[in-house]
Amino acid sequence: EEEEEKEGKKDIELTEMARGANTGKTRQAGDGDEEEKDTKDEDAMATVSTVKDIFSPLVVLSGCVVAFAHGSNDVSNAAGPLSVIAGYSANPNTTSLADIQRPYWTNALAAVAFVCGIVTMGGRTIRLVGCKLAKQTAPKAFATQLGAACTILICSFVKQTVSTSHVLVGSVVGASIAERHWLSSSADVDYSVLVKIVTGWVVTIPIAGGIAWVCFYAVNITSGQW
């Protein structure tokens, strides 16, 4: 009986030793997993920081390209009627639009007005498209601006008038969908904001036409031509 008790005690001690060894291994494995996870998180943060460092100057460059494209199309659209009127006033005997000499000061005036508009009221549109429509990152902002700039410059080359704001909204949506699909990002387009923007596009066309119609009649009646 004493021998059986001794053997039982030995079995119990061995079992406890085995349990202790397994517990130590489990703790070591857990600590190893946590260290590996921390290392992966640090590597991911370093990668994100590197990507931001690479794309930050490129975002500025692509923004300048968008501004150039904007001037080649939208600003020229605004300066076009004024240029024709000024050119015709300088040479009223001209019978063809192709022969009208359009002065360059009209483009300069339109550019100044463009800058003043951005400084005074452009912040609202910038926040709407750049923040509320979809969250922007440096790579996505670069892709958005590059896509918009290429589209606008191609349209300017083929003499097609477009709206820079419309093109940029399309680029933001496209880049956001691509980010969600390829990178499995949780960021998504705020479609309520997109509907609001598209509604504004549709509504402003007849409103602008109606205001122009009223102004045209008012000018002609006031000048005594009618």
Side-chain angles (χ1 to χ4, degrees):
E1 293 179 356
E2 291 179 356
E3 290 179 357
E4 290 179 356
E5 289 179 359
K6 289 181 180 180
E7 290 179 358
K9 289 180 180 179
K10 287 182 180 180
D11 293 337
I12 292 172
E13 290 177 356
L14 291 173
T15 303
E16 290 179 351
M17 290 175 64
R19 287 178 180 176
N22 291 332
T23 303
K25 290 180 180 178
T26 303
R27 288 177 180 175
Q28 290 179 357
D31 293 339
D33 292 340
E34 290 180 358
E35 291 179 358
E36 184 178 356
K37 183 179 180 181
D38 292 339
T39 302
K40 289 182 179 180
D41 291 341
E42 291 177 358
D43 293 340
M45 292 177 65
T47 302
V48 171
S49 178
T50 302
V51 170
K52 287 183 178 179
D53 292 339
I54 293 173
F55 277 94
S56 292
L58 294 178
V59 170
V60 176
L61 180 61
S62 61
C64 293
V65 177
V66 171
F68 175 80
H70 188 77
S72 71
N73 204 296
D74 276 17
V75 176
S76 299
N77 294 340
L82 178 60
S83 298
V84 172
I85 293 172
Y88 183 79
S89 299
N91 188 9
N93 296 324
T94 303
T95 57
S96 175
L97 288 175
D99 297 331
I100 295 178
Q101 298 296 324
R102 289 176 285 277
Y104 288 102
W105 63 264
T106 56
N107 290 334
L109 181 62
V112 171
F114 167 70
V115 173
C116 291
I118 290 180
V119 172
T120 56
M121 301 182 67
R124 299 177 181 179
T125 304
I126 292 172
R127 285 192 295 270
L128 180 65
V129 178
C131 299
K132 295 182 179 180
L133 180 59
K135 293 182 179 180
Q136 293 293 321
T137 60
K140 187 163 72 170
F142 173 76
T144 296
Q145 294 184 145
L146 187 62
C150 292
T151 303
I152 297 167
L153 289 174
I154 292 173
C155 291
S156 298
F157 181 77
V158 298
K159 299 180 180 180
Q160 176 65 45
T161 60
V162 294
S163 171
T164 301
S165 58
H166 295 187
V167 175
L168 275 171
V169 168
S171 294
V172 170
V173 174
S176 299
I177 293 175
E179 180 187 39
R180 184 175 178 83
H181 177 71
W182 293 106
L183 301 181
S184 300
S185 174
S186 59
D188 197 4
V189 178
D190 190 337
Y191 288 99
S192 63
V193 175
L194 181 61
V195 170
K196 180 180 177 181
I197 293 173
V198 174
T199 302
W201 294 346
V202 175
V203 171
T204 52
I205 294 176
I207 290 177
I211 294 174
W213 184 84
V214 172
C215 290
F216 179 80
Y217 272 88
V219 168
N220 282 276
I221 292 174
T222 305
S223 63
Q225 295 185 18
W226 288 359

